[in-house]
Amino acid sequence: MIQKCVEALLLVVRHRLDEIMNMMLNALEFQAKIQNGLIQIPDEYKQELREGDDIKVIVLVNKKSFPKKDIIDELTDNPVQVNGVLAREEIYSH
């Protein structure tokens, strides 16, 4: 009698564990290029994903260029010349 109860309880626990495992996230990582607004999933991962699966997508973009210059960078590269203002050399030479 006790053995049958334990077996029944184990079946319930196994079933619940299967449900929990199915709810857990499984992370896939791959490199891709965006083409026509779509991200192609590599063939080796397609068998892990089913039509209608709910997924969470995080996109990390590789930036190949440096960020645009800000106003400080522009002024450092192209200082504004103002007439009537003393230059550094003129200030410290007196």
Side-chain angles (χ1 to χ4, degrees):
M1 176 82 157
I2 294 177
Q3 183 177 354
K4 291 206 183 273
C5 289
V6 170
E7 289 173 0
L9 184 58
L10 283 174
L11 284 175
V12 171
V13 169
R14 282 188 192 135
H15 179 71
R16 186 64 184 133
L17 282 174
D18 286 343
E19 289 176 348
I20 292 170
M21 293 301 288
N22 287 333
M23 290 188 300
M24 293 176 62
L25 293 177
N26 182 23
L28 303 175
E29 182 177 336
F30 56 86
Q31 298 288 323
K33 290 200 180 290
I34 298 174
Q35 296 176 342
N36 297 322
L38 301 173
I39 299 172
Q40 184 69 35
I41 298 171
D43 290 337
E44 63 263 25
Y45 297 112
K46 287 182 181 178
Q47 71 275 4
E48 296 184 41
L49 304 171
R50 292 183 298 252
E51 191 73 29
D53 277 353
D54 289 326
I55 62 171
K56 179 178 183 176
V57 178
I58 299 173
V59 178
L60 303 172
V61 180
N62 290 330
K63 292 290 184 184
K64 295 178 183 174
S65 61
F66 292 103
K68 292 182 180 179
K69 289 186 173 188
D70 62 12
I71 187 67
I72 301 300
D73 294 325
E74 289 294 328
L75 288 171
T76 302
D77 292 343
N78 306 300
V80 176
Q81 300 297 323
V82 179
N83 294 330
V85 177
L86 297 175
R88 179 179 297 184
E89 296 79 24
E90 293 173 305
I91 294 172
Y92 292 108
S93 67
H94 295 282

